[in-house]
């Protein structure tokens, strides 16, 4: 359930009782709360995005298929919510596929944000004015490892890049950044044209680094 409490620990109040809730995030004007309902773990359609008023009224479901362990991200004007969804790709090697979506809070309109069908996209972060969204793209390399039986094995590495989409025109482009490798998480400064990039090599969390 979703609850609120004052910083002094008083005034505890239940806003949502019948829907399991995780990753609550306030809207910029503090009038609504977005959260993920993690019911149906293992079933992508079971992970749903909800919004509810700060008074517990007007509970609405906006999207399904969200990736677990990631949180919804409000645009600065409160019009859109960005999030990462997850599904399974078919083929000789079944793999998890991720991409970014944004949903219009008022209308429920959903848009897929993914430059290429063969790539994955995740980690959305909004520009200070909310006119752009930055995210990480990981693309499949052209070559694959050849197994000892002569069949192709799954790719062993993936190249990462930082992309930006302009809201309204929906134009997507990669940032021409050569000095930052292996981007994994992004955080756009709320007051300037600066993006903090957390990078990590392969699957190691111990060799991470931060660049601007």
């Amino acid at each position: 359930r979703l609850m609120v409490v004052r910083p002094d620990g008083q005034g505890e109040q239940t806003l949502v009782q019948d829907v399991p809730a995780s990753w609550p995030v306030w809207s910029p004007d503090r009038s609504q709360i977005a959260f993920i309902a993690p019911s149906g773990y293992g079933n992508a359609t079971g992970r749903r995005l909800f919004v509810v008023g700060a008074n517990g009224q007007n509970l609405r479901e906006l999207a399904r298929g969200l990736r677990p362990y990631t949180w919804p991200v409000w645009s600065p004007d409160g019009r859109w919510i960005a999030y990462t969804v997850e599904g399974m790709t078919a083929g000789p090697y079944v793999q998890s596929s991720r991409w970014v979506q944004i949903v219009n809070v008022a209308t429920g309109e959903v848009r897929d944000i993914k430059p290429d069908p063969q790539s994955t996209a995740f980690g959305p972060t909004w520009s200070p004015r909310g006119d752009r969204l930055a995210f990480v793209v990981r693309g499949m390399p052209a070559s694959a490892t050849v197994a000892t039986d002569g069949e192709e094995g799954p790719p062993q590495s993936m190249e990462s890049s930082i992309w930006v989409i302009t809201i309204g025109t929906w134009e997507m482009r990669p940032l021409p950044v050569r000095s930052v490798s292996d981007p994994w998480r992004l955080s756009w400064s709320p007051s300037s044209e600066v993006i903090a990039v957390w990078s990590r090599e392969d699957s190691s969390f111990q060799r991470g680094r931060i660049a601007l």
Side-chain angles (χ1 to χ4, degrees):
R1 57 182 175 170
L2 179 66
M3 305 180 68
V4 293
V5 63
R6 294 201 302 263
D8 61 4
Q10 302 300 312
E12 186 176 284
Q13 179 185 1
T14 298
L15 298 184
V16 179
Q17 176 73 43
D18 299 326
V19 178
S22 65
W23 298 111
V25 182
W26 288 94
S27 64
D29 64 1
R30 303 300 188 262
S31 66
Q32 299 181 87
I33 301 173
F35 66 92
I36 295 175
S39 58
Y41 184 82
N43 175 7
T45 60
R47 297 187 293 270
R48 299 169 290 165
L49 174 66
F50 285 86
V51 292
V52 65
N55 58 0
Q57 302 298 313
N58 300 320
L59 177 67
R60 293 184 294 137
E61 179 182 325
L62 290 181
R64 294 193 173 194
L66 279 75
R67 187 171 191 266
Y69 314 121
T70 60
W71 52 91
V73 186
W74 288 86
S75 64
D77 61 7
R79 292 181 56 201
W80 301 88
I81 297 176
Y83 51 92
T84 303
V85 294
E86 185 173 64
M88 303 304 294
T89 59
Y93 297 95
V94 178
Q95 297 181 353
S96 173
S97 176
R98 289 170 286 170
W99 63 97
V100 174
Q101 286 183 341
I102 62 172
V103 58
N104 186 298
V105 178
T107 67
E109 173 195 1
V110 174
R111 282 186 173 268
D112 288 324
I113 309 297
K114 189 178 183 182
D116 186 279
Q118 301 303 316
S119 64
T120 63
F122 56 93
T125 181
W126 291 95
S127 67
R129 295 192 301 272
D131 59 334
R132 287 160 295 164
L133 186 74
F135 54 97
V136 175
V137 171
R138 303 190 79 197
M140 303 293 287
S143 61
T145 300
V146 178
T148 55
D149 58 4
E151 296 183 358
E152 283 192 338
Q156 299 302 302
S157 64
M158 305 180 77
E159 297 178 354
S160 300
S161 56
I162 302 170
W163 283 66
V164 172
I165 184 170
T166 300
I167 306 302
T169 65
W170 310 112
E171 177 187 0
M172 284 183 276
R173 64 181 179 88
L175 293 184
V177 180
R178 298 183 181 275
S179 59
V180 178
S181 60
D182 304 310
W184 194 257
R185 291 288 184 269
L186 310 175
S187 180
W188 206 316
S189 168
S191 60
S192 66
E193 294 288 279
V194 177
I195 297 176
V197 183
W198 175 56
S199 301
R200 67 171 190 166
E201 298 177 6
D202 302 323
S203 60
S204 173
F205 288 95
Q206 299 179 359
R207 294 195 295 272
R209 56 194 180 277
I210 295 177
L212 299 179

